């Protein structure tokens, strides 16, 4: 098989993810999930670079950081990691309640969750922009709580919507799938385009977030995330009116 023949289906699948067929089982959800993946990159860039060695979306990292802190490694805070884990868990609980209450329509699940998440991000941006320096203790924990809650809501919502390979926060299984299902491994190479887009979306968010912190202002990644979330929320409001087959629960 030539390189062109190998690349063509990957590009075709990537295009179908960004510009999905309205009749597809997941309808317009894939591009919205990609946008939320960019949000994850933005917010984790902010939390790690501005709030210290803590994530508000990547809970695996916080468990590892908690271990480092207990071992006495410099630069890691057990309290910050535990606060992020607790806030994320509370947000996931809220997201789960939203999903169960609106489960008859996937578009309405997304609309309600994005409304909550956008409000939490706007509050976090206000704290980061107008309150004491973000890396001071009180402000740091306010931001961890607000952003952890928001990302917990997002993760629970992505789980409820169950769009394949677009979890918006976790890439380990996505990258594993790219390799283990590839033709080189003896697989069919299915969904490589979508999985690659997911990884690129996270990378793009992290790159933009880090660039904004270093060359703009510490709060800028949160502002960019708010803009993306507002766009997704508006799209979700439109999609919540649809009775197309994709809107029905899986």
């Amino acid at each position: 098989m030539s390189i062109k023949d190998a690349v063509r289906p990957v590009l075709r699948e990537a295009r179908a993810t960004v510009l999905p067929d309205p009749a597809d089982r997941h309808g317009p959800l894939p591009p919205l999930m990609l946008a939320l993946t960019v949000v994850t990159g933005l917010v984790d860039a902010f939390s790690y670079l501005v709030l210290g060695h803590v994530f508000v979306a990547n809970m695996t990292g916080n468990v590892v950081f908690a271990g480092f802190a207990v071992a006495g490694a410099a630069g890691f805070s057990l309290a910050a990691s535990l606060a992020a884990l607790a806030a994320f868990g509370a947000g996931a609980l809220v997201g789960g309640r939203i999903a169960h209450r609106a489960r008859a329509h996937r578009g309405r699940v997304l609309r309600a969750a994005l409304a909550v998440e956008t409000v939490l991000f706007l509050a976090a941006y206000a704290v980061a922009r107008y309150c004491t320096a973000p890396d001071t203790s009180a402000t740091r924990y306010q931001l961890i709580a607000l952003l952890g809650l928001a990302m917990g809501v997002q993760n629970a919502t992505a789980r409820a919507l169950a769009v394949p390979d677009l979890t918006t926060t976790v890439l380990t299984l996505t990258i594993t799938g790219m390799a283990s299902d590839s033709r080189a491994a003896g697989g069919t190479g299915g969904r490589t385009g979508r999985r690659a887009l997911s990884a690129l979306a996270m990378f793009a968010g992290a790159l933009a977030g880090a660039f904004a912190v270093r060359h703009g202002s510490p709060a800028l990644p949160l502002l960019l995330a708010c803009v993306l979330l507002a766009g997704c929320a508006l799209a979700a409001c439109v999609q919540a009116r649809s009775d197309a087959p994709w809107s029905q629960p899986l």
Side-chain angles (χ1 to χ4, degrees), residues 23-185:
D24 182 77
R25 181 66 187 90
H26 300 288
L29 294 177
L32 293 176
M33 296 296 101
L34 279 177
L36 293 181
T37 306
V38 176
V39 169
T40 298
L42 285 166
V43 72
D44 264 348
F46 170 82
S47 67
Y48 191 88
L49 297 175
V50 177
L51 303 182
H53 291 164
V54 63
F55 288 121
V56 292
N58 178 8
M59 292 303 110
T60 302
N62 284 324
V63 172
V64 174
F65 291 166
F68 292 167
V70 170
F76 296 92
S77 168
L78 178 61
S81 293
L82 293 180
L85 287 164
F88 187 91
L93 177 64
V94 173
R97 289 185 66 85
I98 290 172
H100 289 302
R101 287 187 176 185
R103 62 179 175 269
H105 195 293
R106 295 164 86 201
R108 290 169 193 159
V109 170
L110 184 59
R111 179 183 64 186
L114 284 176
V116 173
E117 186 177 356
T118 302
V119 168
L120 289 168
F121 261 84
L122 286 170
Y125 171 70
V127 170
R129 177 68 178 81
Y130 299 108
C131 294
T132 311
D135 57 351
T136 60
S137 182
T139 304
R140 182 190 194 197
Y141 284 100
Q142 289 178 47
L143 289 168
I144 288 173
L146 288 167
L147 296 172
L149 279 168
M151 297 312 297
V153 171
Q154 178 177 306
N155 206 58
T157 303
R159 184 174 184 274
L161 296 178
V163 181
D165 297 305
L166 293 175
T167 64
T168 78
T169 56
V170 181
L171 288 182
T172 303
L173 290 178
T174 301
I175 295 171
T176 300
M178 288 177 62
S180 64
D181 294 342
S182 66
R183 295 185 185 279

